Amino acid sequence: MPDVYFKKVIDFQYKKQQLHFRVSQDLFSSHQVDMGSARLLRSLAHTEGRAFHKILDLGCGYGSLGLTLKKLDEARGVCMVDRDALAIEYSRQNAVLNQLSDVDIHGSLGYDDVQSRDFDLIISNIPGKAGEAAIRSFLLDAQRYLSPTGFVAIVAVMPLEPLIAGILESPYIHVVFREARAGHVVFHYQFSPEFSVESISEHNLYDREKIVISTGNIEFSMQTARGLPEFDQLNYHTELLIDGMQDLRGKSVKRALVFNPGQGHIPVALWKLFKPHQMGLVDRDLLLSLIHI
């Protein structure tokens, strides 16, 4: 079956290693490897003498960071996670494309499904629109997953620099490298043994707004999520579909399948109208959308 999401293959060279990445139009940086990610990789030259035996790539996308570091030393243990099912699929394809085995690639909302600990390095290209709560978790909950000598290396777009600098401003967090250039800022930092923070990695990191949807003769409440459309109101097509569903009132619906549920407006409306015995959802963003239904 053809891959309907496939756009092209990107070639990327780093430290004499040539990598190839299959990309989808719908994934971040599908034209070329993001400049911020490339800058983050180059910044690791400032860590000469450190051995990275175990690496976590948080928010891996199609795999440019984690797979590049694995290619440099295939004996490393590399774990890669992302909330986007499409990103996970393309990271897995790219591991195969670059002949890399023994890479743990799976879905996770932040650190929620990261089972391993004692990483020497946690690396991440921080998503610009994740929201302050999620970014705070990405930065601080890292401490729970690091080895005693491990550290974090992140890159973010320049508008996030004040927020990140403020979150990292603590006597128990040591920023060992910071560089701002051409629209991006890179931070390397470590935690002191005295640092402790209550885990803030909960599903509500992505909460955006609580809204009430009213269309036709149906009304329901929704907790919407960051990173998905229709966070404040229905778009025309969703409203039209729900209105059409209301015309089917009285029909017996025992099983239902919803493609691309997004925030979950259609599944909730469908449940309110028909109360099916079984309902399936299929979406590339299912990791995020399911928690709000």
Side-chain angles (χ1 to χ4, degrees):
M1 182 179 295
D3 183 351
V4 296
Y5 290 101
F6 174 70
K7 177 183 178 183
K8 66 176 184 177
V9 174
I10 293 173
D11 298 323
F12 180 64
Q13 185 169 342
Y14 180 72
K15 288 191 174 182
K16 298 182 180 180
Q17 294 288 345
Q18 188 75 27
L19 291 99
H20 312 283
F21 297 110
R22 287 173 55 85
V23 299
S24 165
Q25 179 69 45
D26 289 343
L27 292 177
F28 172 69
S29 194
S30 66
H31 177 64
Q32 62 183 15
V33 171
D34 174 61
M35 184 182 297
S37 294
R39 183 159 292 136
L40 180 56
L41 287 168
R42 289 196 297 270
S43 76
L44 296 179
H46 296 274
T47 64
E48 293 296 339
R50 286 184 175 272
F52 303 131
H53 301 297
K54 192 174 179 182
I55 299 170
L56 172 63
D57 180 359
L58 184 69
C60 61
Y62 53 75
S64 58
L65 292 175
L67 295 179
T68 297
L69 293 173
K70 179 71 172 179
K71 191 73 171 179
L72 291 177
D73 182 355
E74 294 189 30
R76 286 170 168 159
V78 175
C79 175
M80 300 165 54
V81 298
D82 201 287
R83 64 159 200 166
D84 190 328
L86 188 64
I88 294 303
E89 171 60 24
Y90 271 77
S91 281
R92 289 172 176 165
Q93 289 184 25
N94 287 327
V96 174
L97 180 62
N98 290 282
Q99 300 180 318
L100 296 171
S101 59
D102 193 27
V103 186
D104 180 11
I105 305 170
H106 63 270
S108 179
L109 277 175
Y111 297 99
D112 283 0
D113 292 297
V114 177
Q115 301 301 317
S116 191
R117 296 289 192 276
D118 296 325
F119 290 100
D120 302 306
L121 172 66
I122 296 178
I123 193 165
S124 183
N125 188 333
I126 301 297
K129 297 181 179 179
E132 182 176 346
I135 292 173
R136 183 176 295 275
S137 171
F138 297 160
L139 301 182
L140 300 185
D141 276 346
Q143 185 264 349
R144 298 176 177 273
Y145 298 86
L146 288 170
S147 69
T149 59
F151 81 107
V152 184
I154 60 129
V155 66
V157 291
M158 195 64 76
L160 290 179
E161 181 180 19
L163 172 63
I164 292 173
I167 293 171
L168 297 180
E169 190 174 345
S170 164
Y172 305 119
I173 299 176
H174 306 296
V175 176
V176 296
F177 177 81
R178 178 173 176 172
E179 181 181 64
R181 291 175 56 189
H184 292 87
V185 59
V186 172
F187 289 86
H188 298 177
Y189 61 95
Q190 291 179 283
F191 296 93
S192 293
E194 299 84 2
F195 179 85
S196 76
V197 61
E198 291 187 9
S199 178
I200 53 177
S201 182
E202 303 290 345
H203 288 321
N204 62 10
L205 293 177
Y206 289 91
D207 284 356
R208 183 151 190 169
E209 296 180 19
K210 292 183 178 179
I211 60 174
V212 175
I213 297 296
S214 181
T215 178
N217 296 317
I218 186 172
E219 182 174 288
F220 53 90
S221 299
M222 294 289 296
Q223 170 65 65
T224 60
R226 292 183 181 276
L228 295 175
E230 298 185 280
F231 62 87
D232 57 349
Q233 62 183 5
L234 300 181
N235 66 33
Y236 172 74
H237 298 93
T238 300
E239 189 169 359
L240 191 65
L241 180 55
I242 292 176
D243 287 345
M245 288 164 51
Q246 292 184 73
D247 292 339
L248 299 175
R249 280 181 185 272
K251 297 284 186 180
S252 175
V253 177
K254 296 182 178 179
R255 301 174 66 193
L257 177 64
V258 180
F259 285 94
N260 301 324
Q263 297 280 2
H265 300 305
I266 295 298
V268 171
L270 193 152
W271 175 259
K272 294 276 285 187
L273 289 168
F274 303 109
K275 292 184 171 52
H277 299 307
Q278 185 178 11
M279 183 159 55
L281 310 176
V282 180
D283 196 310
R284 52 161 283 201
D285 263 327
L286 197 57
L287 290 167
L288 183 54
S289 64
L290 267 177
I291 65 172
H292 291 277
I293 294 174

